[in-house]
Amino acid sequence: MRVEEVVGEFVALKRRGPRYLGLCPFHNEKTPSFNVSPNLGIFKCFGCGKAGDAITFLQEHEHLSYVEAIRWIAKRYQIELPEEEQTPEQQLEQSERESIAVAQQWALQWSQEQLWETDEGKRIGLSYFHERGFSDTTIRAFQLGYVPEQGNAFAIAAQANGFNPEILEKAGWIKRRDDGGAWDFFAGRVTFPVFGLSGQPIAFGARTLKSDKKLPKYFNSPESVLYVKSRSLYGIYHAKKAIVEQQLCYLVEGYTDVISLHQAGITNVVASSGTSLTEEQVRLIKRYAPTVCILYDGDAAGMKASLRGIDLILKEGLNVKVVT
């Protein structure tokens, strides 16, 4: 395990002699004071004083428990961890964060299976994505999915697989009635998983395919211990390497904008989906590149959002461009 590889998943690092240097992810700074030493196996910020090894970094940055950090590293380096079979009681005792993470991962697989392997999924979900011009390769790369219209297909399947309804509700997949029955929050919608910096699904956006104006076009996962909307960017996991290489980040409005640009070969792109741009989102981009280019819609709302975005981006000390 190399500390610079683990930290490098979340912070853009540049080599400086025997050390690596980057912008500290734990406090807001304009000049890099965050050091990583491969020889000593540690990181240290001379601005805010945070320091430790790769496991400490994951605990502090990703809010993981010690055991979760070990599991993250094992997965990153493809190391098999011997794990004891857990009793249902032990499973219930797992931290809420870990429980939601497991539920989101399962939901990701399930929603993809519905899209690719069921008649309804292929007829409705897949044909919608094809109409949008997305290739099968792109649909699979972004792990897009579908939830059947019947109203409780997910709730039934997830509970049959032992998931606690309370966790499924916190993850945003079900809502519960007064009589205790559950219904699918995303029923009849295509799904867009939102990935964290380490590539785990932390939330979902779900678009209706009906033309009923009374229905909200998008439903989004609620905030949870796993997902804080103001600190998340759609596409950041797929884009961060290209953003560092090109020292430029394109900022768009929605999920499909990110996916379309990726398919066209422009991969240094993220979206502040479901929320107007926040300081934390700008600081997240700042870790990877010094310049942001805004590509919002050309309508009045898009222009207004662009102007607001310019101020935020400049305030954080980044260069900004706007494409009208």
Side-chain angles (χ1 to χ4, degrees), residues 258-277:
V258 170
I259 298 167
S260 300
L261 283 169
H262 261 266
Q263 187 165 281
I266 298 160
T267 56
N268 52 328
V269 56
V270 298
S272 58
S273 314
T275 174
S276 49
L277 192 65

Side-chain angles (χ1 to χ4, degrees), residues 13 20 30 36 51 63 98 108 125 159 162 177 207 211 213 234 245 261 282 296 303 323:
L13 298 171
Y20 289 85
K30 287 189 168 60
V36 177
H63 310 290
E98 198 169 335
L108 178 67
Q159 290 178 71
R177 298 188 199 90
R207 188 193 195 284
S211 52
K213 290 279 184 280
Y234 181 73
E245 283 167 3
L261 283 169
V282 177
Y296 285 172
M303 284 294 150
V323 175

